[in-house]
Amino acid sequence: MYDGEMKPVRVLIIGAGSRGTAYSRYIDRHRDDAVVVAVAEPNEARRNRIAEMFSLPAENVRDDWSAAAAGPRLADAAIVATPDSLHVDPAIALAEKGYHILLEKPMAPNEADCRRIIQAVEDRGDIHLAVCHVMRYTRYTRTLKGIIDSGRIGEIVNVQHIEPVGYWHQAHSFVRGNWRSESESVFMLLAKSCHDIDWLRYIVARPCARVSSFGSLFHFKKANQPSGAADRCVDCGVEADCPYSARKIYMGMLAEGRTGWPLDVLVDGEVNAETIDEALRTGPYGRCVYACDNDVVDHQVVNVEFDGGATASFTMTAFNLAGGRKTRIHATRGEIYGDGRNITVTDFLTGQSETIDTAASDASISGGHGGGDDRIMDAFLTAVADNDSSAILSGPRETLETHLAVFAAERARRSGTVETLSA
Ligand SMILES: NC(=O)c1ccc[n+]([C@@H]2O[C@H](COP(=O)([O-])OP(=O)(O)OC[C@H]3O[C@@H](n4cnc5c(N)ncnc54)[C@H](O)[C@@H]3O)[C@@H](O)[C@H]2O)c1
């Protein structure tokens, strides 16, 4: 237990890929609040990037989470940003050691392991856990929640919510990339839309009571490969006519001046035309989208009935240009339409509408996930420094509850049932 304020918070990074590096960069920009004192990462280039950023001593630079978790506690807090299937063991080991934990979503690929993590945190009793449901932390969500909580639109009866994943993002992450296969990561609803089910529960402010779901892998499969196509885009005779061409997607981004995500997922070193070309010739991201070892769905709908009877329908689909999630909230005195940035509130009594731009004068909106990445870091570090979890909006119990709703929805999709969640 801590006495009083503890700053800067000393942080151990577990997994220095995209997310671990993004959080490390946040810490680098906020050195009064936190400092990275140790890293565990098997990939040498990524490990060294963090070690150099914070001038870490060699003994605090490890190639596996278990090496960092063994022995005396190295830091006050740990950020667990390993692949989906590798959250549970480090989270439990670090909780038992007394680290405060910022844990990437999803907590774990199955219910039992999610429960084990929460149990370990609660057994320890003196640590803070925040799960990276970054959508709860954005200014957009805060503004939306403020309007709802003010009672201005009455009581929520129904919500329509869509996650437009985007044709190229689906191809990148869920056909060619790290989240393409359930056995190697997790099912699509858990990987991509545990955020959305969690966010709907947060907005409606009621637990999910019943769920149903439909969806499938509709398009990205061998049967849809055009005749004359090759298994790699650089060898393909019909690539010029394919919206999913890896060359078109990645070289197009490079031509626009992008060098960060998703291009930095293709290469570990410098991102340029030569390194991307090499990645397309030899790596997984150059594969034909119809000839990959993918099995996760490319569209899914979930219907939810909340405690108290309000309902929501959720759609996740690859087949759009991507962009912000779109939400319609239908309530007893008014309705809201939100696009991830602008919120339009209409009052039934007056017929008047007002539109609020939640990104105006918000510099952090340019950060990851509409500012959510920065704000969850701020909330987590504040909770640790002040030994007060009130800044954490995605703590253990509610995160477990919404993960259980996601598992129930996936059971419903597979079995065609309506699943009831126990209170
Ligand atoms: N909150 C969000 O909005 C959000 C967004 C994207 C990804 N994620 C989640 O964050 C997690 C990480 O995703 P990412 O995109 O950074 O993936 P990534 O593959 O870029 O990074 C994971 C890193 O973990 C490392 N790793 C593997 N085994 C390890 C071990 N034994 N010990 C220590 N490190 C190990 C890998 O080498 C890799 O560098 C995933 O669970 C993902 O679903 C969350």
Side-chain angles (χ1 to χ4, degrees):
M1 285 288 245
Y2 301 109
D3 293 311
E5 201 175 77
M6 173 176 51
K7 269 190 184 176
V9 174
R10 296 170 305 143
V11 179
L12 160 65
I13 301 288
I14 302 284
S18 278
R19 302 297 292 168
T21 301
Y23 294 128
S24 300
R25 289 197 175 119
Y26 173 94
I27 293 173
D28 192 27
R29 296 193 304 274
H30 297 83
R31 291 211 179 212
D32 288 346
D33 298 332
V35 59
V36 172
V37 296
V39 62
E41 162 62 55
N43 178 296
E44 193 181 355
R46 297 177 197 172
R47 192 166 67 227
N48 289 343
R49 188 166 55 195
I50 307 299
E52 280 163 25
M53 205 185 288
F54 293 94
S55 307
L56 300 181
E59 67 273 18
N60 284 7
V61 180
R62 308 289 172 84
D63 62 2
D64 185 69
W65 71 265
S66 56
R73 189 153 66 94
L74 300 170
D76 308 305
I79 296 180
V80 178
T82 38
D84 294 345
S85 56
L86 201 64
H87 290 178
V88 61
D89 289 340
I92 291 174
L94 294 163
E96 287 172 350
K97 274 265 155 74
Y99 286 88
H100 302 287
I101 299 173
L102 183 70
L103 175 62
E104 261 306 352
K105 50 56 59 179
M107 280 193 291
N110 58 63
E111 282 193 30
D113 284 343
C114 291
R115 289 184 192 279
R116 285 174 57 216
I117 292 173
I118 301 306
Q119 195 62 49
V121 169
E122 291 182 346
D123 284 352
R124 175 76 202 192
D126 62 352
I127 57 171
H128 303 290
L129 171 79
V131 176
C132 294
H133 280 310
V134 290
M135 281 171 64
R136 286 189 177 217
Y137 292 83
T138 61
R139 174 179 286 200
Y140 169 76
T141 300
R142 212 167 54 229
T143 308
L144 187 62
K145 189 93 172 117
I147 295 167
I148 294 164
D149 291 350
S150 74
R152 191 169 153 189
I153 60 163
E155 201 177 348
I156 294 177
V157 181
N158 167 265
V159 184
Q160 275 185 331
H161 181 68
I162 178 165
E163 153 62 323
V165 178
Y167 74 96
W168 64 265
H169 185 187
Q170 183 86 23
H172 171 76
S173 292
F174 305 101
V175 179
R176 297 181 168 117
N178 292 341
W179 291 271
R180 69 190 181 280
S181 142
E182 280 189 33
S183 59
E184 285 186 29
S185 61
V186 294
F187 55 92
M188 181 78 185
L189 192 70
L190 188 60
K192 190 76 183 96
S193 295
C194 66
H195 280 314
D196 297 279
I197 302 299
D198 178 78
W199 188 80
L200 284 167
R201 187 263 183 256
Y202 183 57
I203 289 299
V204 175
R206 298 267 191 167
C208 301
R210 297 195 300 164
V211 287
S212 67
S213 181
F214 299 93
S216 62
L217 176 59
F218 187 95
H219 186 63
F220 300 104
K221 45 193 183 189
K222 191 77 181 169
N224 290 324
Q225 191 173 37
S227 71
D231 286 354
R232 201 168 268 283
C233 297
V234 290
D235 304 323
C236 181
V238 296
E239 171 259 343
D241 191 42
C242 178
Y244 304 102
S245 156
R247 189 147 50 185
K248 165 189 162 280
I249 293 172
Y250 297 115
M251 289 303 184
M253 288 176 178
L254 200 59
E256 287 166 6
R258 276 170 86 155
T259 54
W261 186 88
L263 295 172
D264 60 2
V265 177
L266 275 64
V267 291
D268 266 330
E270 194 185 328
V271 171
N272 57 42
E274 287 75 46
T275 55
I276 293 293
D277 183 64
E278 175 63 14
L280 298 189
R281 288 181 189 288
T282 57
Y285 293 93
R287 293 180 294 171
C288 172
V289 289
Y290 307 104
C292 290
D293 50 345
N294 59 305
D295 60 9
V296 301
V297 304
D298 52 24
H299 70 123
Q300 185 164 0
V301 294
V302 178
N303 282 334
V304 182
E305 183 182 58
F306 296 92
D307 264 10
T311 54
S313 60
F314 167 63
T315 298
M316 181 283 301
T317 166
F319 303 101
N320 42 65
L321 289 175
R325 284 138 162 122
K326 315 275 187 293
T327 311
R328 285 187 188 281
I329 300 174
H330 306 115
T332 51
R333 294 187 64 86
E335 68 176 336
I336 292 178
Y337 175 69
D339 64 3
R341 171 174 176 155
N342 295 300
I343 299 171
T344 300
V345 191
T346 303
D347 185 315
F348 297 153
L349 189 63
T350 62
Q352 301 289 309
S353 292
E354 179 198 5
T355 297
I356 301 153
D357 179 356
T358 63
S361 75
D362 181 3
S364 75
I365 192 83
S366 58
H369 296 105
D373 289 359
D374 281 11
R375 290 224 180 76
I376 197 171
M377 280 297 285
D378 183 45
F380 175 66
L381 294 172
T382 300
V384 174
D386 297 350
N387 193 25
D388 175 358
S389 63
S390 54
I392 295 175
L393 304 176
S394 48
R397 277 287 138 191
E398 209 163 292
T399 304
L400 177 62
E401 181 201 303
T402 62
H403 272 59
L404 296 185
V406 171
F407 290 117
E410 185 64 3
R411 275 199 306 277
R413 181 183 77 83
R414 286 166 192 275
S415 59
T417 49
V418 175
E419 294 286 314
T420 301
L421 287 128
S422 50

